[in-house]
Amino acid sequence: MRTELVVAAALLVAVAGCKRERRTFRESPPASMASDVAVSDLHPGGGSPPERSINPYEQNAWALNEGKWLFSAYNCSGCHANGGGGMGPALIDDEWSYGHEADQIYRTILEGRPNGMPAWRGKIPDQQIWQLAAYVRSMSGLAPKDAAPSRSDHMSANPPENATPRLTPKNAGTPPAAVQ
Amino acid sequence: MFWVTAAVFVIVSAFVLAAVFQRRSAPAREEVLNVCVTLGVAATVVTLFVLLVASIWTGRAVASLGASSAVTINLTGRQWWWDAEYEDGTPSRRFHTANELHIPVGRPVVLKVTSVDVIHSFWVPNLHGKRDLIPGYTTAIWLQADTPGVYRGQCAEFCGLQHARMALYVTAESNDAFEQWRTNQIKEAVQPSTDDARRGRDVFLRATCTQCHTIRGTIAGAAMGPDLTHLATRGTIGAGTLPNTRGHLAGWVLDAQSAKPGNQMPPNAIPSGDMQVLLTYLEGLK
């Protein structure tokens, strides 16, 4: 009896600690763009590397799903082909040409990258870029499993994002298109 | 229809009550029972034959609706607005519009309804009963307006946060007025004639708008949001959420989330100078 009471009390305390995920419709971008996003680990002149901007959307199931929806709405698949890669590099693998951190991906979408990635500055609102960046990370299992999208509306060759094994990101070096 | 069903209800109720309150009498005689059964069978047979003839009659009426003169509209439900494509044998005469239909009075209209996200339901009570819009499946419905007027429709299947603000207006008008409307809708957007409107067009094409919207005649050709080619001919914005006035339009472009939280239109921080010319351009899209 005593054990049950203790368990019940512990559960009550745990429930009180639960917070429902809030959904806000008007929000400022999760992080204002730091001007110095490090693409590599090398820092000339020593000193500490610039701090990473955190993307809270990565913990948010709704934002990740929005990212997934935007990925098809804005025809990212036109080049990245559902993450498998085509004209653009694959996004479901562990290779990253310009960094796998949230702010690096944000920067990649915002400013574009050499050899094909267009700059979306002024075309995609800031929050949506952060949502897309969060989703792109979830494609190779870098977003939390309890928040990543669980099922596609249509048939898909890949397992859903929350069933994707977490890959260890590695630097891909020169983007494929630059190789002559 | 209401009074017919009311009369049937009253008659049936009267028989039930009579049966409940009548006392059980002595067993009926054989002749009485025979007469009752004969009458019952006769009434049923006659009713069935009347319905059979009526069904043939209805079938002939439906067949003679004149399918060749029908106006065909592909209506697609989205969260939370309606995309309407008017079909035509000539591809260049097809066009898209949103949230407002125009139909000719006295001519049959075929609606091919479907959805691209969740289940919606087409419901214009004055014209037709509810019909669900199922993703991945197209349903055809026939309707005909006999009286000119503007009929309000509404999504009738709960489809998410803004289900209540998913209205559809159907304008039934004379055939001439309809053809005039259609001829205008087929055209590409009006080229801006003033400097302000030209600057407004450039604001539109430079900003985020082109990611989702189409204005035929410009490079904007995305299909995620409503077609804006003839935006100024529509009476409302946001699927019946707000009247289509300059002020409401400005509010909608800046922050659609306050009028219709959860819809796909993101907030757009357009500076006021740019906003004024953008509104001038949008208001000119007759």
Side-chain angles (χ1 to χ4, degrees), chain B residues 188-205 215-219 229 277-286:
Chain B
E188 291 186 341
V190 184
Q191 287 302 316
S193 51
T194 64
D195 275 354
D196 272 4
R198 271 191 285 274
R199 278 179 52 213
R201 178 192 58 194
D202 295 344
V203 169
F204 184 94
L205 296 179
I215 293 185
R216 278 175 275 134
T218 71
I219 57 159
T229 310
V277 291
L278 175 64
L279 291 173
T280 305
Y281 172 60
L282 291 178
E283 282 187 319
L285 295 174
K286 297 281 188 202

Side-chain angles (χ1 to χ4, degrees), chain B residues 114-137:
Chain B
T114 187
S115 164
V116 291
D117 35 47
V118 298
I119 300 177
H120 302 277
S121 188
F122 169 84
W123 189 34
V124 185
N126 295 34
L127 295 177
H128 200 279
K130 296 173 188 177
R131 187 54 63 98
D132 280 2
L133 279 59
I134 316 281
Y137 182 80

Side-chain angles (χ1 to χ4, degrees), chain A residues 25-26 66 69 74 120 122-123, chain B residues 161 205 207-208 210-211 255 262:
Chain A
F25 299 112
R26 260 181 298 172
E66 280 294 287
W69 182 79
Y74 290 162
W120 297 93
K123 281 288 169 190
Chain B
L161 200 61
L205 296 179
T208 48
T210 53
Q211 286 290 100
D255 184 12

Side-chain angles (χ1 to χ4, degrees), chain A residues 31-133:
Chain A
S32 55
M33 194 50 223
S35 55
D36 46 354
V37 174
V39 174
S40 84
D41 294 332
L42 296 171
H43 304 289
S48 59
E51 278 193 26
R52 293 258 161 255
S53 306
I54 301 159
N55 185 359
Y57 283 161
E58 238 166 70
Q59 317 286 331
N60 184 303
W62 179 76
L64 279 162
N65 269 295
E66 280 294 287
K68 181 168 183 154
W69 182 79
L70 291 168
F71 191 88
S72 65
Y74 290 162
N75 196 26
C76 303
S77 290
C79 295
H80 295 288
N82 287 320
M87 251 161 86
L91 302 174
I92 51 173
D93 63 4
D94 54 353
E95 297 191 348
W96 298 83
S97 303
Y98 295 104
H100 66 279
E101 299 289 348
D103 55 354
Q104 291 169 332
I105 299 172
Y106 170 89
R107 184 70 160 224
T108 300
I109 300 172
L110 185 78
E111 306 285 18
R113 295 292 186 185
N115 301 316
M117 179 74 185
W120 297 93
R121 184 194 284 281
K123 281 288 169 190
I124 302 182
D126 238 16
Q127 315 90 302
Q128 293 189 346
I129 299 187
W130 284 108
Q131 288 167 351
L132 279 164

Side-chain angles (χ1 to χ4, degrees), chain B residues 189-190 192 194 196-205 209 213-215 218 220 226-234 237 244-246 248-254 265 270 274-286:
Chain B
V190 184
T194 64
D196 272 4
R198 271 191 285 274
R199 278 179 52 213
R201 178 192 58 194
D202 295 344
V203 169
F204 184 94
L205 296 179
C209 319
H213 292 290
T214 292
I215 293 185
T218 71
D227 186 300
L228 302 180
T229 310
H230 298 282
L231 174 68
T233 62
R234 305 211 279 263
I237 49 177
N244 188 4
T245 63
R246 192 179 172 96
H248 284 305
L249 203 53
W252 184 264
V253 173
L254 279 176
M265 176 102 170
I270 295 178
D274 285 355
M275 178 57 95
Q276 290 304 331
V277 291
L278 175 64
L279 291 173
T280 305
Y281 172 60
L282 291 178
E283 282 187 319
L285 295 174
K286 297 281 188 202

Side-chain angles (χ1 to χ4, degrees), chain A residues 7-18:
Chain A
V7 169
L11 279 177
L12 268 179
V13 170
V15 165
C18 288

